[in-house]
Amino acid sequence: MRKIVGTVFVSLDGVMQAPGGVNEDITGGFKHGGWQFKFPDPAADATLGAAFDGYDLLLGRRTYDIFAAYWPYVEGEEAQLGETFTNAGKYVLTRGDQPLEWENSHRLKGMDDVATLKQGDGPDLMIWGSSEIYPGLLSAGLLDRLTVMIYPLTLGDGKRLFGDGTPAGALKMVDHQVTPAGTIIATYEPVGPIPDGASVPPIDTAREAERQRRMQEGTW
């Protein structure tokens, strides 16, 4: 059985939109494309180097479009990585019927298709970008591991790693480091529901009763 693993670049406030290029993704009026390269980090780059080979790709349709318009054509130092991505199987989670013309590309219609793919033989599946597919993967229990690379900046508006539809759940940290440049690299594995545990007991006062009433009414 394959594993599904993700690697994401995020800001401290959780934005993962367009880390690589100015015009990578300007939807929503995003103005900070290419932000990752403004914080060069050799130690983080070394970690990434081990993450490219030996995987097929699991991508959302927009990330696939970004990759397909860039990696088959890249030259110079990045040409070898472009060849690696071209030769890898690329599984695209999309509701549309647009052609997937990049070599070795395959269409997935939904999480049932992802689950079937995961049960088969082949390389593990690596997610890059593709913020919109994480809620569904977590809800279906299909994500095995997630590495979050947190860079020392805030971006304000933008697409976030855990958007609408993300289920509640617990994760355990299985690896971590902080680079000299200040990037936090943390790897997590989902472990199921949020565990039961102690919490602060309610305070039985008139002020608390009034606060509870206002919360229920939506006036707090």
Side-chain angles (χ1 to χ4, degrees):
M1 185 174 68
R2 302 183 180 203
K3 291 185 177 181
I4 297 177
V5 299
T7 298
V8 297
F9 314 121
V10 299
S11 62
L12 278 169
D13 54 342
V15 175
M16 60 179 291
Q17 187 168 349
V22 173
N23 295 319
E24 179 181 323
D25 182 359
I26 61 172
T27 54
F30 190 68
K31 299 178 180 179
H32 301 291
W35 54 266
Q36 180 193 8
F37 289 95
K38 299 174 183 178
F39 292 84
D41 190 334
D45 293 344
T47 299
L48 285 173
F52 290 118
D53 286 330
Y55 291 92
D56 282 346
L57 303 181
L58 176 61
L59 305 171
R61 193 268 302 169
R62 289 178 177 172
T63 297
Y64 173 82
D65 286 349
I66 293 168
F67 275 37
Y70 180 80
W71 287 111
Y73 311 103
V74 71
E75 298 178 349
E77 294 182 357
E78 294 184 324
Q80 183 174 355
L81 182 55
E83 184 177 351
T84 296
F85 283 151
T86 295
N87 291 335
K90 292 166 286 291
Y91 296 89
V92 187
L93 193 58
T94 175
R95 294 183 291 269
D97 294 318
Q98 70 280 7
L100 305 176
E101 297 176 342
W102 194 7
E103 297 97 312
N104 303 312
S105 296
H106 312 275
R107 188 185 313 276
L108 303 175
K109 286 292 189 180
M111 290 299 159
D112 288 344
D113 288 350
V114 177
T116 299
L117 177 64
K118 180 178 168 66
Q119 290 296 324
D121 295 328
D124 289 342
L125 298 155
M126 173 68 78
I127 308 166
W128 293 105
S130 308
S131 61
E132 294 185 5
I133 74 175
Y134 279 103
L137 290 171
L138 288 167
S139 294
L142 295 174
L143 184 67
D144 293 287
R145 190 169 71 248
L146 176 64
T147 296
V148 184
M149 305 184 72
I150 307 168
Y151 284 76
L153 77 159
T154 58
L155 289 168
D157 295 334
K159 296 177 182 177
R160 282 171 161 75
L161 169 57
F162 297 123
D164 293 342
T166 300
L171 299 95
K172 67 176 180 179
M173 182 182 289
V174 296
D175 193 14
H176 71 279
Q177 66 169 300
V178 180
T179 73
T183 305
I184 301 169
I185 305 173
T187 300
Y188 300 91
E189 293 179 354
V191 293
I194 297 174
D196 294 332
S199 62
V200 177
I203 300 175
D204 186 15
T205 65
R207 286 183 176 177
E208 177 61 13
E210 174 64 13
R211 192 180 71 87
Q212 292 291 328
R213 182 188 67 79
R214 291 175 62 192
M215 280 197 294
Q216 294 175 13
E217 291 179 347
T219 60
W220 183 49

